[in-house]
Amino acid sequence: MSNIDEFKKLYNFEFEEIKVDSFEEASEKYLATYKDGKEKGYTPVFLTVDEYLLKTFEISMKDENTDNMIDIFNKNLEKAKNINPIELFNKFIEQSMDKYFTEDDYKFDDSNKNNLKFLTIFNNEGNLKDNVILVKVPTTKPYEILAYFGMGSEDIATVKYWYEKYGAIPASITYDEMEFYVERPPQTLEETKKLAVEHYAFCYGLLWGCYDTLEEAASTIYKNVQWYFWWN
């Protein structure tokens, strides 16, 4: 049985198998589907359905003693209602920002970054990965995408906060990566630095796995419609 057939056993969601040749084509496909979803009441997300993603679903179900991913969705979504992400961030943000930003002469890139480039669905050679699908998740609350695919309540609460503040929408998910489309990215350096620390709290792999310093991380997300995370 193919990976996509395995996915269909777990989820009764409408989806399309993606066949694109370029980053630009993938972005155009996503944005057109996102616009359609706003009109029809769903939120699209790219999933790379490899054996590792399927294994994470299997582990999640085993941990929760269920054979239904929707059971996990309901449980984690309910738990997320009682979590305040600001409290999760406080131990990071309340410390002096000087601890995180130490390069006084760093030149931040303050240009508008309006181009989506989905790195997670292409391999290192620039070719589309196998088993990439664009799923029409039946929700108008994009942070619920995380709950549907087995992610924890703290992650859901955090992404809900970012969605409400920045219009941050989970747009592509693999077993160890996530990319967001951001409708209202931060426009000031002060806010961007604070957000970079929040990103680090959300994903420790942000440093050294994705960026060498928080200055580099902040410069990347400054006025950027795309965020990238990798749990290495």
Side-chain angles (χ1 to χ4, degrees):
M1 183 177 295
S2 72
N3 289 347
I4 291 177
D5 286 337
E6 291 285 357
F7 176 82
K8 288 163 67 175
K9 288 170 58 179
L10 295 171
Y11 295 97
N12 187 28
F13 293 167
E14 183 180 350
F15 67 85
E16 177 183 351
E17 295 186 48
I18 297 301
K19 303 295 181 185
V20 295
D21 297 319
S22 67
F23 293 111
E24 293 78 14
E25 192 177 353
S27 298
E28 289 172 4
K29 179 69 177 176
Y30 173 81
L31 291 172
T33 309
Y34 178 67
K35 180 180 179 181
D36 183 67
K38 280 202 163 186
E39 297 173 356
K40 297 179 180 177
Y42 68 85
T43 304
V45 62
F46 286 118
L47 285 186
T48 303
V49 189
D50 57 19
E51 62 269 28
Y52 301 107
L53 184 65
L54 293 173
K55 187 66 175 180
T56 63
F57 295 160
E58 179 185 336
I59 292 171
S60 294
M61 289 187 291
K62 184 177 180 180
D63 288 346
E64 297 297 336
N65 195 29
T66 181
D67 60 359
N68 189 338
M69 287 296 294
I70 303 304
D71 290 342
I72 299 173
F73 164 82
N74 291 325
K75 181 177 181 180
N76 286 343
L77 197 62
E78 187 62 30
K79 288 171 63 177
K81 294 178 182 178
N82 299 316
I83 295 174
N84 182 351
I86 299 299
E87 294 178 357
L88 300 177
F89 297 147
N90 274 347
K91 65 179 180 179
F92 291 87
I93 295 173
E94 286 180 352
Q95 299 180 54
S96 171
M97 295 295 277
D98 293 340
K99 174 181 176 180
Y100 300 108
F101 297 96
T102 59
E103 300 182 35
D104 294 336
D105 59 348
Y106 190 90
K107 302 300 182 183
F108 291 91
D109 179 3
D110 63 354
S111 63
N112 290 314
K113 308 171 186 71
N114 297 319
N115 295 320
L116 282 173
K117 185 177 181 180
F118 290 111
L119 302 174
T120 50
I121 64 174
F122 290 88
N123 61 26
N124 292 335
E125 288 72 43
N127 299 315
L128 186 73
K129 294 178 181 177
D130 294 333
N131 298 314
V132 175
I133 60 177
L134 186 58
V135 184
K136 297 179 178 180
V137 182
T139 182
T140 57
K141 301 174 181 178
Y143 54 88
E144 290 187 351
I145 289 173
L146 275 67
Y148 273 115
F149 297 121
M151 297 177 194
S153 52
E154 289 188 358
D155 294 339
I156 297 163
T158 296
V159 172
K160 179 177 185 289
Y161 167 72
W162 286 338
Y163 171 66
E164 292 171 347
K165 188 169 185 178
Y166 299 108
I169 299 136
S172 184
I173 295 173
T174 75
Y175 80 98
D176 64 351
E177 297 169 292
M178 192 183 309
E179 290 179 288
F180 287 76
Y181 168 50
V182 186
E183 295 184 307
R184 301 183 301 277
Q187 297 298 305
T188 68
L189 183 56
E190 181 181 4
E191 184 178 12
T192 302
K193 284 183 173 181
K194 180 180 177 182
L195 178 61
V197 176
E198 293 178 0
H199 279 199
Y200 177 50
F202 178 69
C203 174
Y204 292 158
L206 192 71
L207 289 184
W208 307 291
C210 301
Y211 309 105
D212 291 328
T213 66
L214 270 180
E215 281 87 357
E216 183 183 354
S219 187
T220 300
I221 64 175
Y222 194 9
K223 300 182 180 180
N224 198 339
V225 300
Q226 185 167 357
W227 298 345
Y228 171 82
F229 297 94
W230 176 38
W231 287 265
N232 59 338

